[in-house]
Amino acid sequence: MRAAAGATTTADAWNFVEGGSGGEHTMRENGLAFDRVRLLPRVAVDVAGRTARTRLLGLPVPVPLAVAPMAYQTWLHPDGEVATAAAAAAAGVPFVVSMMASRTVEDIAATGAATVMQLYWLRDRGLFRELIGRAEAAGCAALMLTVDVPLLGRRLRDMRGGLVRPATVVAANLGGAGGGAGAGRAGRSEVALHTKVLFDPSLSWADVAWVRSVTRLPLVLKGILDPDDAALAVDAGADAVVVSNHGGRQLDGAVATATALPAVVDAIAGRCEVLVDSGIRGGVDVLKALALGAAGVLVGRPLLWGLAAGGAPGVTRVFDLISEELHEAMALAGCPDVDSARRLRTSVAGGGC
Ligand SMILES: Cc1cc2nc3c(=O)[nH]c(=O)nc-3n(C[C@H](O)[C@H](O)[C@H](O)COP(=O)(O)O)c2cc1C
Ligand SMILES: O=C(O)C(=O)c1ccccc1
C-alpha cells in the first residue's frame, strides 16, 4: 500500500507524509522498537470464538484501533478526511479529526464515523474555544489535546523541498486561511511557518487544567512519553493519554513508543486509559501494544497510504488487513479477547523476560 501511495502522490505530499524530524532516528526507532518486542504465546486456550471487541475513549469498537489525527488529507485525495472517515465509519473505528483537517468537522461527522476533535494550543484562545464549541455541537465524543507540538519539529525533507500547500489544502476548521501562501522557497517549509503563527508554545499544566474546565467532553492528552507527565496528566483530569512521539516528527532522539509505554502504564496504574501510536504497521504491532499494557492504538501513516492509493476503499483495505492480522495473531497467541491479550507476557529481543 505504501508503494502504491508513493506512486500516486506529488513529491511535496510524499515528503510531508513520510518525513520525520532531523535525522529521522526516532521515526526509524519506532518500527525497530515494535520489532524487538517478543510475545510469549499461550497454548491450549479455546480461541474458536475470539473477539477483539472492546471500548476505547468510551466508544464500543470491533478492534482496538482509532484513526490518528492527521492534517491536510486533501493533499492525498480530493475527498480528504471525508473519505478516510467514511472508511472508519464502515469499520466501526473512531476518527480523530485533526485541528488542521482540510475538511470541516461537520462534514466529517456527517459520514457517521464516531469522531474525536484534536486540538493544538492556539495563540488565539477565542478560536480555540470556538472550535471546542463546534466539536461539541458536531457530536464529537472527546477532545484530544496534542501536547508535543510547542512548535513543529524540524522536518528537513519539507525544508529542503521548500514545501508549500496547494490552494486546495487548507485548514478548513480555522477559516481556511493560508492555503497556497506564496511560492516555494528552498530551505523553508510554509507549513512550519504557518503553524508558528498559530500555535502557542506557552502551554502549561495550568492551561491543560483550564481546557479540562471548559468542556464536559472526555479529555485525551496526546504526546506523553515520560511517566511523570503521565501522572501529571491524571492530576490535570485527563481521561486518557496517548503515548506518542508524533511518528518521529517532533523531537528527533525521543524514545520509541514501544520502549516508553510500559513505564507510562505503570505510572497511570489504571487511573485513566492509555493508548499508543507511532510505528503501528500491522496487527501484530497492535497485539504487542496490548501486551505492553495499552488499551488500543492510533493508526497513522498506513491509513494515509490507503487514502492516497485508493480513496475510501484503500483505507478500508488497510483496516481489513490490520484487523485480519490482529485476529490471526490473537489466535496464535492464545488470546480469546482483548483482556487476555493485555495479560500476555513480553520480552525485548536481546534482553531478559
Ligand atoms: C501527515 C501527518 C500529519 C499529522 N498531523 C497531525 C495533527 O494534525 N495532529 C496531531 O496531533 N498529530 C498529527 N500527526 C501525528 C499522528 O497523529 C500520529 O501521532 C503519528 O502519525 C503516528 O506515527 P505513524 O504514522 O508513524 O504510526 C500527523 C502525522 C502525519 C504523518
Ligand atoms: O505534520 C504534523 O505532524 C502535524 O502535526 C501538523 C501540524 C500542523 C499542520 C500540519 C501538520
Side-chain angles (χ1 to χ4, degrees), residues 145 147 203-215 217-221 224 228-241 268 271-272:
L145 180 66
V147 292
L203 178 75
S204 70
W205 287 105
D207 298 316
V208 175
W210 176 80
V211 176
R212 171 65 292 173
S213 75
V214 299
T215 180
L217 289 177
L219 181 64
V220 187
L221 297 186
I224 300 288
D228 288 347
D229 282 341
L232 288 165
V234 173
D235 293 345
D239 299 282
V241 297
I268 295 275
R271 291 177 293 166
C272 78

Side-chain angles (χ1 to χ4, degrees), residues 16 71-72 100 120 149 152 155 191 195 199 246 249:
F16 174 63
Y72 297 146
M100 310 304 285
Y120 284 115
V149 186
L152 215 63
R155 319 267 171 88
V191 168
T195 54
F199 297 176
H246 215 103
R249 295 161 74 86

Side-chain angles (χ1 to χ4, degrees), residues 10-346:
T10 63
D12 268 2
W14 192 241
N15 283 336
F16 174 63
V17 169
E18 290 296 286
S21 54
E24 301 185 339
H25 299 96
T26 294
M27 187 173 82
R28 282 190 295 276
E29 178 66 8
N30 282 333
L32 295 172
F34 271 109
D35 291 349
R36 282 196 300 270
V37 175
R38 298 288 179 264
L39 295 162
L40 277 76
R42 304 301 302 265
V43 295
V45 181
D46 179 355
V47 291
R50 67 191 172 280
T51 174
R53 242 171 218 294
T54 184
R55 295 184 76 84
L56 281 190
L57 308 172
L59 299 162
V61 287
V63 277
L65 311 179
V67 180
M70 291 178 287
Y72 297 146
Q73 296 181 24
T74 53
W75 216 333
L76 301 168
H77 186 277
D79 296 337
E81 287 82 359
V82 166
T84 313
V93 168
F95 181 92
V96 186
V97 181
S98 165
M99 182 187 245
M100 310 304 285
S102 48
R103 300 294 306 267
T104 63
V105 59
E106 293 82 9
D107 283 354
I108 294 167
T111 62
T115 53
V116 170
M117 185 76 212
Q118 180 263 326
L119 303 165
Y120 284 115
W121 188 233
L122 295 181
R123 297 180 192 271
D124 184 342
R125 299 286 200 276
L127 182 56
F128 184 88
R129 281 206 72 160
E130 192 184 307
L131 265 173
I132 292 179
R134 268 177 78 182
E136 289 168 343
C140 291
L143 300 179
M144 182 180 285
L145 180 66
T146 298
V147 292
D148 61 3
V149 186
L151 44 79
L152 215 63
R154 198 170 179 81
R155 319 267 171 88
L156 295 178
R157 295 193 208 200
D158 296 346
M159 291 168 74
R160 288 186 184 120
L163 186 80
V164 176
R165 283 172 295 152
T168 49
V169 181
V170 295
N173 297 289
L174 300 180
R185 218 173 95 184
R188 293 178 7 154
S189 157
E190 178 264 334
V191 168
L193 293 174
H194 184 54
T195 54
K196 208 170 179 173
V197 175
L198 290 170
F199 297 176
D200 187 345
S202 76
L203 178 75
S204 70
W205 287 105
D207 298 316
V208 175
W210 176 80
V211 176
R212 171 65 292 173
S213 75
V214 299
T215 180
R216 295 178 68 163
L217 289 177
L219 181 64
V220 187
L221 297 186
K222 173 173 180 279
I224 300 288
L225 292 168
D226 189 298
D228 288 347
D229 282 341
L232 288 165
V234 173
D235 293 345
D239 299 282
V241 297
V242 184
V243 173
S244 173
N245 57 35
H246 215 103
R249 295 161 74 86
Q250 288 302 106
L251 177 66
D252 191 38
V255 66
T257 53
T259 309
L261 178 58
V264 170
V265 170
D266 281 353
I268 295 275
R271 291 177 293 166
C272 78
E273 201 167 289
V274 181
L275 305 176
V276 65
D277 76 12
S278 303
I280 301 290
R281 294 294 178 268
V284 171
D285 294 332
V286 181
L287 184 60
K288 287 177 173 179
L290 297 174
L292 293 173
V297 309
L298 306 186
V299 184
R301 292 182 178 96
L303 297 171
L304 297 184
W305 300 335
L307 176 66
V315 179
T316 294
R317 181 81 185 119
V318 174
F319 281 131
D320 287 348
L321 282 168
I322 296 177
S323 301
E324 273 171 39
E325 289 170 358
L326 175 62
H327 278 99
E328 286 170 10
M330 286 176 69
L332 296 171
C335 301
D337 53 29
V338 166
D339 283 343
S340 55
R342 297 184 72 227
R343 289 193 299 269
L344 280 176
R345 289 196 179 90
T346 61

